[in-house]
Amino acid sequence: MPNDTAKLNIKNIAKDAEFAVLQGTQGPDVIDVTNLYKDTGVFTYDPGFMSTASCESKITYIDGEKGILRYRGYDIEELAQKSSFLEVSYLLLYGDLPNAKKYKEFSRKITEHTMVHEQLQFLYRGYPRQAHPMAIMSGAFSSMSAFYHDSIDIDDADQRELAAHRMIAKVPTLAAMAYKYAIGHPFVYPNNKLGFSENFLHMMFSVPAEEYKVSPVLAKAMDLIFLLHADHEQNASTSTVRLAGSSGANPFACISAGIASLWGPAHGGANEAVIDMLEEIGDVKNIPTFIEKAKSKKDPFRLMGFGHRVYKNYDPRAAVLRKAAHDVLKELGQENNPLLKIAVKLEEIALTDEYFVARKLYPNVDFYSGIIYKAMGIPSSLYTVLFAIARTAGWVAQWKEMMEDPSQKIGRPRQLYTGAKKRKYVAIKKRK
Ligand code: ACO
């Protein structure tokens, strides 16, 4: 609702332009510039959306200064402690935590859709074994629109719902298949007696020839990581999903676009960089050298997994994962794993070093998730895939919210054109 107005005086434009200032329930007010071009003939310019709210949303709230992350009004710390990934997926999709009956029903629906069309395995078999799993994930998601014709009519609410459930349910199966394919193991079908994260670990690590029991500590840690990564408001991949969806593209294609965006190292790839860095450090005795490198203005090296663009206070997700990382290491008897020893020592030193303290450079979520994945024996090429499993819930919720918004329009940014003005065409023979 308009709270105030903002006036803009532009040279050479006769009258001041006036805009409504909109107030959300929390967070900075926004100036509604929808009519700016119509009223004044100018555009705004904001590469990287540094000051632009791209949509209205009721799903996730972040206050980076205070280190707050909330899904639908619930603090992430409380959800991490008391809830589960599947319950949080329901919360993101429908706005409220489910009661016991609704949760049972939702779990049943998700469980019903864990298998993927048998023919999809031929798509996998067309890839080279060394293909990056994110390439397979993006392809497999897009391909689902070719298999599930009964859930691609975006104007039908039931079909949208079915697509949402299918995507949340099938993404762990697709991810585990990508892993199994890479290592040459047979695909493992989902076991619907298991919970969401337990089932994922089962599909990842069990083999037909052996008995496999999922460790409850690892399943809990996995579920926690999924819960913490489930949504993060209008980040690059979520904005990509919304932009793709704004044209009316089918939901599977939209999430495939989100996966492509997440793949970039500036977004979903940082936890892989953490492990690369720890391997480069190689030994606890080398940590001081790397700390000095990170502090040196002459050296471009940065401590991977430290600092965050939005969180200038402790990343609330990292605080939760820190404890989980220590629990997992203990459960796996890996407290003495050399790489993990380096991580623990690095964290200890950086948290007390004046340079990092003064700049509020705390470990971020990627620092600890990488360590947990490494301890679990998950290869680093799969880290971003795990992020995609979790974020599918957020992408789907954001896509659903957009589709249900009657004011939704195709996303079509404008530009500041700095290319050539009108030129005369010269025949090829006469060109110099
Ligand atoms: N190591 C050493 N110094 C750092 C680091 C770091 N990881 N991060 C920031 N700094 C220093 C900068 O040199 C700068 O110092 P100065 O003020 O003396 O010039 C100061 O801290 C502020 O840094 P900026 O680059 O301005 O901070 P910004 O918010 O732009 O960057 C970013 C955030 C990109 C995450 C940065 O901290 C970084 O590169 N971290 C390492 C990569 C990483 O872990 N990325 C994952 C982010 S979490 C996620 O995406 C889910």
Side-chain angles (χ1 to χ4, degrees), residues 8-27:
L8 181 66
N9 179 281
I10 309 170
K11 213 172 151 196
N12 299 331
I13 292 180
K15 69 175 174 73
D16 283 357
E18 198 166 297
F19 309 99
V21 176
L22 309 179
Q23 208 174 34
T25 44
Q26 275 185 294

Side-chain angles (χ1 to χ4, degrees), residues 12-284:
N12 299 331
I13 292 180
K15 69 175 174 73
D16 283 357
E18 198 166 297
F19 309 99
V21 176
L22 309 179
Q23 208 174 34
T25 44
Q26 275 185 294
D29 293 352
V30 304
I31 303 169
D32 180 356
V33 295
T34 315
N35 290 326
L36 175 68
Y37 179 66
K38 194 159 83 57
D39 293 350
T40 65
V42 301
F43 296 134
T44 54
Y45 178 63
D46 184 17
F49 299 104
M50 301 297 283
S51 302
T52 297
S54 61
C55 65
E56 185 191 322
S57 181
K58 293 182 171 56
I59 301 175
T60 292
Y61 174 71
I62 301 174
D63 182 334
E65 299 299 324
K66 296 195 182 120
I68 292 174
L69 168 61
R70 292 190 191 123
Y71 297 158
R72 301 281 191 184
Y74 295 98
D75 280 325
I76 195 72
E77 294 88 346
E78 191 171 15
L79 290 171
Q81 199 192 346
K82 300 176 182 169
S83 198
S84 68
F85 173 71
L86 214 51
E87 199 180 28
V88 157
S89 301
Y90 182 99
L91 174 69
L92 293 170
L93 277 176
Y94 302 110
D96 291 305
L97 285 167
N99 61 24
K101 186 166 169 257
K102 284 182 178 163
Y103 181 64
K104 200 169 160 207
E105 179 65 5
F106 181 65
S107 305
R108 187 188 60 76
K109 282 185 183 161
I110 297 297
T111 306
E112 241 169 39
H113 292 293
T114 50
M115 288 201 302
V116 296
H117 196 290
E118 194 65 5
Q119 213 171 317
L120 259 168
Q121 62 165 287
F122 297 108
L123 178 87
Y124 278 65
R125 294 189 196 286
Y127 284 95
R129 296 272 176 192
Q130 67 276 24
H132 195 288
M134 285 297 272
I136 299 181
M137 290 301 283
S138 184
F141 248 87
S142 199
S143 302
M144 283 206 285
S145 50
F147 287 96
Y148 302 108
H149 289 156
D150 58 344
S151 52
I152 54 172
D153 179 355
I154 56 161
D155 297 320
D156 180 329
D158 290 340
Q159 291 209 20
R160 290 201 300 267
E161 173 121 330
L162 182 56
H165 294 165
R166 275 189 170 138
M167 289 190 278
I168 293 171
K170 293 183 196 304
V171 61
T173 313
L174 295 175
M177 283 172 72
Y179 172 62
K180 288 297 199 190
Y181 185 69
I183 59 169
H185 278 188
F187 298 130
V188 173
Y189 289 113
N191 176 349
N192 287 347
K193 283 195 205 122
L194 304 175
F196 186 90
S197 301
E198 219 181 349
N199 197 17
F200 171 63
L201 292 176
H202 158 76
M203 290 187 284
M204 283 282 293
F205 295 119
S206 72
V207 287
E210 300 273 346
E211 186 105 352
Y212 177 77
K213 176 126 180 43
V214 181
S215 147
V217 174
L218 298 193
K220 194 162 175 274
M222 197 76 251
D223 203 70
L224 183 66
I225 296 177
F226 287 157
L227 183 153
L228 295 172
H229 286 84
D231 198 48
H232 214 228
E233 52 115 310
Q234 308 312 318
N235 53 81
S237 58
T238 303
S239 299
T240 303
V241 169
R242 280 188 178 255
L243 196 57
S246 77
S247 73
N250 77 68
F252 300 104
C254 295
I255 304 304
S256 169
I259 291 173
S261 171
L262 184 73
W263 192 358
H267 191 5
N271 45 20
E272 209 174 322
V274 170
I275 297 302
D276 292 345
M277 176 192 74
L278 295 176
E279 274 165 359
E280 198 191 335
I281 295 176
D283 194 297
V284 170

